[in-house]
Amino acid sequence: MKSNGTIRIAVQRSGRLSEGSLNLLKSMGLQFETYQNRLFTRCRNMPIDILFLRDDDIPEYVQDGVADLGIVGSNLLDESNAKAKRLLSLDFGFCSLAIAVPEQSEFKTIVDLAGKKIATSYPQTLKRYLAENGVDAEVILLKGCVEVAPALEVADAICDLVSTGSTLRTNRLTVLETISKSQATLIATPNVSGEKQQLIERLLLRAGGVQEARAFKYIMFNLPEKKLEDAKALVPGCDSPTVMPLADPAMIAVHSVVEEERFWEVVEKIKECGGSGILVSPIEKFIR
Ligand code: PRP
Ligand code: ZN
């Protein structure tokens, strides 16, 4: 594959981040087809190829410029020495890197693992953590299926990603200690040509817009006119809320955006101020 100014974006082929990554790229306006285990796909409407790779390989491929952008868990960046630039945290693919032990084991704290074997695909992060905690344990590197190591008596404990927790549950393991938190992150190769840089900046603006849109809701409500100052404080919006008169001169209509996280708290306060007819709708894109 020769690049010709075409940008390559690497995403996880199959795993926790695959679906979220493709959804994000589609929300950013990239049009492409993909199904099953495709290795790459070409966008119809932009000079972009999407490469489907093992997530563990993505930081190095991006560092070496095989891919210009990549979507990976931040845990992989912490683990790898690859020199890829972190551009944006993407607000999906939340998980933690945790040390887990068999449910019925006698291990209660990390100190109990001194002299024991811990299997992991994240040896660097684990070794750092053990050193910080003064625990001398043997780290066994496994590239996959880490969760079966205790049952196979390959290790006493594991250090692996926990997302829903179902892998641990299925394998009768329980978290002993959480080492770090992770989420999907957009990364870029350190050296890009000017031509590609322009496209990367456009994509970054779009990714940010999609993310902002997910983090906000559009809200409309009616309010007694004398409560305008309360409304301004509750839903300041981008610059200030839109305020419109109603046929009843004692009332106004307020339109604004509200953070998803504060949504219910704000709605309760609007009600306390005498607000009514509260309408809420999702925002598709939001560029400040
Ligand atoms: C991680 C981890 C577990 C799974 C945990 O795999 O290795 O297999 O996710 O998720 P759960 O708590 O929801 O069950 P990852 O997606 O990184 O794939 P990989 O290990 O094949 O690279
Ligand atoms: Zn992986």
Side-chain angles (χ1 to χ4, degrees):
M1 275 189 295
K2 222 173 144 285
S3 94
N4 308 323
T6 296
I7 281 191
R8 297 189 192 133
I9 306 178
V11 301
Q12 185 180 26
R13 185 181 316 168
S14 68
R16 284 175 311 102
L17 302 184
S18 307
E19 195 183 332
S21 302
L22 295 180
N23 286 342
L24 172 69
L25 296 177
K26 288 195 165 151
S27 304
M28 286 161 61
L30 278 61
Q31 296 173 359
F32 56 87
E33 300 308 315
T34 181
Y35 58 93
Q36 287 174 349
N37 288 326
R38 300 295 93 183
L39 297 180
F40 99 107
T41 186
R42 180 150 286 179
C43 287
R44 287 195 298 277
N45 60 337
M46 294 176 98
I48 296 173
D49 287 342
I50 300 167
L51 312 186
F52 299 96
L53 301 173
R54 255 169 49 87
D55 63 342
D56 311 50
D57 297 334
I58 293 177
E60 274 77 21
Y61 277 123
V62 170
Q63 163 188 276
D64 299 343
V66 176
D68 304 284
L69 295 175
I71 298 177
V72 284
S74 52
N75 60 290
L76 271 179
L77 301 172
D78 300 339
E79 176 67 21
S80 136
N81 295 321
K83 292 191 175 37
K85 284 194 286 184
R86 293 184 197 224
L87 293 185
L88 190 66
S89 294
L90 295 172
D91 272 340
F92 73 90
F94 291 98
C95 63
S96 48
L97 184 66
I99 295 178
V101 295
E103 281 168 1
Q104 307 302 337
S105 78
E106 73 276 20
F107 308 124
K108 298 296 171 230
T109 72
I110 176 86
V111 179
D112 300 334
L113 292 177
K116 304 293 177 192
K117 292 177 180 167
I118 312 176
T120 189
S121 307
Y122 302 94
Q124 306 306 332
T125 315
L126 175 59
K127 281 179 190 164
R128 268 201 306 272
Y129 185 79
L130 292 173
E132 279 162 20
N133 287 277
V135 176
D136 190 11
E138 188 183 342
V139 174
I140 314 259
L141 173 63
L142 292 184
K143 284 289 183 186
C145 298
V146 171
E147 60 278 2
V148 298
L152 296 179
E153 296 180 4
V154 172
D156 304 284
I158 66 164
C159 169
D160 200 9
L161 293 182
V162 183
S163 173
T164 61
S166 60
T167 301
L168 290 191
R169 180 68 66 84
T170 308
N171 291 280
R172 303 199 152 278
L173 299 167
T174 180
V175 170
L176 191 72
E177 207 123 339
T178 294
I179 296 185
S180 59
K181 300 274 184 197
S182 171
Q183 62 169 294
T185 306
L186 184 66
I187 58 173
T189 196
N191 304 305
V192 283
S193 68
E195 183 189 9
K196 284 186 176 182
Q197 186 57 38
Q198 272 189 359
L199 181 50
I200 289 178
E201 274 161 25
R202 278 172 66 202
L203 292 174
L204 200 55
L205 178 80
R206 292 182 182 200
V210 172
Q211 225 180 337
E212 289 269 39
R214 284 184 189 154
F216 286 88
K217 290 272 181 277
Y218 194 79
I219 186 165
M220 299 157 264
F221 52 93
N222 298 334
L223 197 71
E225 199 273 335
K226 58 181 192 290
K227 294 284 186 182
L228 175 59
E229 290 307 314
D230 293 284
K232 281 195 204 160
L234 277 174
V235 286
C238 265
D239 305 309
S240 84
T242 305
V243 175
M244 282 163 285
L246 291 183
D248 175 351
M251 298 289 286
I252 50 172
V254 179
H255 289 211
S256 192
V257 291
V258 60
E259 296 94 327
E260 177 78 59
E261 280 183 354
R262 290 175 59 232
F263 174 74
W264 285 109
E265 180 200 329
V266 167
V267 166
E268 283 158 15
K269 293 203 171 126
I270 290 170
K271 294 285 285 176
E272 281 169 25
C273 290
S276 60
I278 303 170
L279 280 179
V280 178
S281 58
I283 299 172
E284 194 172 321
K285 307 284 186 300
F286 181 18
I287 318 295
R288 283 181 197 242

